[in-house]
Amino acid sequence: MYKIISLKRIMLCIAGMAAAVICCNLIFSAMSRNAVQTANNARNDGIELPILMYHGILKDTKLQGDYVISPYQFEQDLKMLREKGCHTVTVSNLTDYVYSDKPLPENPVMLTFDDGYYNNYLYAYPLLKKYECSAVISPIAYYSELYSNSDEKQGASYAHCTWQQLAEMQESGLVEVQNHSYNMHSLSGRKGIQQKQGEGSDEYKLAVKDDILKSQDMLHEKLGTYPQAFVYPFGAYNSVAEELMKELSFRCTMICEEKVNIITKNPDSLRKLGRFLRSSRLSAEEIYTKINSLR
């Protein structure tokens, strides 16, 4: 009888040990899966945001090139984005996501127009209304002021938007206006807001600050809003300029490097946003393929 009881105890002990081993294996397996899941979440943390960079839109084929596309091409872009299930966003949408925890739509994409040409109002704006898409326009404030004070008829190939035209687009809720400098969009002496050769650090900071604040105050006076983003002319920037943008309370900066941005809850993810130049030499599908190749 003693041997039978001992045998039973041995069998129960073995069964218990086996159960413990199985339990441990299940725990370690779950831990391993959780570790993989955590690693995947870390890799996938953030929202991909491609930004398209436009300049001029003209019907004259002789004037089309790297910085000018046709109205037809722009419409094809909007159609393509709709077909791909993309949703256009603005700078405010990004800052609301980062600072106020408001969600971004699926497959966000941003459309930006540099310099504020009159043809943006003439050709792009009606198409934005037609397809219910949003865009960001960053005018050179000096030229908006110039054409707002001129009686000269605006020509599609050279004129810039007036304050009235910018206000109309902004009031539609489809267009957001951001800062592109007052008058530092030139190649005379300096490239954009880059430091000139032989220019002292303090002199440089003062020149850039004065210009940008002049544009900021003018945009607020004429349009009633303070831009949250600074769009670097020519995409030219440096570490001093980036620190200055933070001091001036810009929450977002944009450059011309072609990359897909990753937007996270970290405010720094809104700085030095890359953009894809929309050239007339590519079709809408080719642009989409180019963006996907860099994801």
Side-chain angles (χ1 to χ4, degrees):
M1 177 67 71
Y2 177 79
K3 288 182 179 178
I4 294 172
I5 293 172
S6 296
L7 184 60
K8 285 182 178 179
R9 285 179 177 173
I10 291 170
M11 294 300 292
L12 287 170
C13 183
I14 291 172
M17 289 173 64
V21 169
I22 292 170
C23 183
C24 285
N25 285 338
L26 289 172
I27 291 171
F28 283 126
S29 177
M31 288 173 65
S32 178
R33 286 197 303 273
N34 286 340
V36 171
Q37 183 74 27
T38 301
N40 285 337
N41 288 342
R43 282 195 297 269
N44 297 327
D45 186 32
I47 297 174
E48 291 186 341
L49 175 72
I51 303 178
L52 289 172
M53 175 174 60
Y54 300 87
H55 290 79
I57 296 184
L58 294 170
K59 292 182 177 179
D60 189 343
T61 56
K62 296 189 293 295
L63 298 176
Q64 294 164 15
D66 285 337
Y67 297 96
V68 178
I69 66 171
S70 69
Y72 171 78
Q73 286 176 308
F74 184 59
E75 183 165 16
Q76 293 305 113
D77 288 356
L78 299 182
K79 284 182 179 179
M80 179 267 295
L81 292 174
R82 174 183 282 183
E83 290 167 2
K84 303 293 185 183
C86 297
H87 298 87
T88 53
V89 297
T90 63
V91 171
S92 291
N93 295 138
L94 301 186
T95 57
D96 284 346
Y97 171 75
V98 173
Y99 290 92
S100 303
D101 206 29
K102 294 183 180 179
L104 283 171
E106 282 189 61
N107 301 320
V109 62
M110 186 182 288
L111 311 178
T112 64
F113 287 83
D114 286 12
D115 307 338
Y117 292 110
Y118 166 62
N119 53 55
N120 298 173
Y121 173 79
L122 185 64
Y123 297 124
Y125 179 47
L127 290 171
L128 291 173
K129 288 192 289 185
K130 178 178 178 180
Y131 290 92
E132 298 181 332
C133 289
S134 61
V136 173
I137 293 181
S138 304
I140 305 167
Y142 169 81
Y143 289 106
S144 289
E145 181 182 38
L146 180 69
Y147 282 95
S148 294
N149 296 330
S150 173
D151 293 329
E152 180 184 350
K153 184 179 178 181
Q154 289 173 285
S157 63
Y158 61 85
H160 289 249
C161 288
T162 63
W163 297 126
Q164 184 177 350
Q165 289 159 353
L166 289 170
E168 179 188 336
M169 290 190 286
Q170 183 171 266
E171 287 167 8
S172 72
L174 296 175
V175 173
E176 194 171 82
V177 179
Q178 299 297 339
N179 196 321
H180 199 39
S181 86
Y182 174 72
N183 193 22
M184 281 200 165
H185 197 290
S186 69
L187 293 172
S188 57
R190 73 171 82 241
K191 181 179 181 180
I193 67 165
Q194 289 281 45
Q195 193 166 354
K196 289 193 285 188
Q197 188 173 2
E199 187 177 35
S201 179
D202 290 342
E203 181 186 0
Y204 166 64
K205 288 181 183 178
L206 184 61
V208 171
K209 186 175 181 178
D210 285 350
D211 178 276
I212 293 171
L213 286 180
K214 184 174 183 177
S215 175
Q216 195 78 337
D217 290 341
M218 189 170 285
L219 289 166
H220 178 255
E221 177 191 346
K222 302 298 183 181
L223 305 177
T225 57
Y226 280 116
Q228 300 183 77
F230 184 75
V231 181
Y232 286 106
F234 307 107
Y237 71 97
N238 53 44
S239 59
V240 176
E242 270 293 278
E243 285 303 314
L244 187 57
M245 296 311 149
K246 288 183 180 180
E247 289 177 25
L248 297 177
S249 300
F250 286 106
R251 289 180 164 182
C252 173
T253 58
M254 298 187 203
I255 57 177
C256 297
E257 179 185 344
E258 295 196 331
K259 63 178 180 178
V260 176
N261 307 289
I262 304 297
I263 309 301
T264 68
K265 294 299 183 178
N266 185 343
D268 285 342
S269 68
L270 298 183
R271 300 199 172 276
K272 295 181 287 187
L273 296 179
R275 299 181 293 162
F276 291 85
L277 175 63
R278 181 55 172 107
S279 166
S280 68
R281 307 181 200 286
L282 297 177
S283 68
E285 280 294 337
E286 287 171 331
I287 282 287
Y288 189 78
T289 300
K290 182 178 183 180
I291 291 171
N292 279 341
S293 71
L294 295 177
R295 287 184 185 273

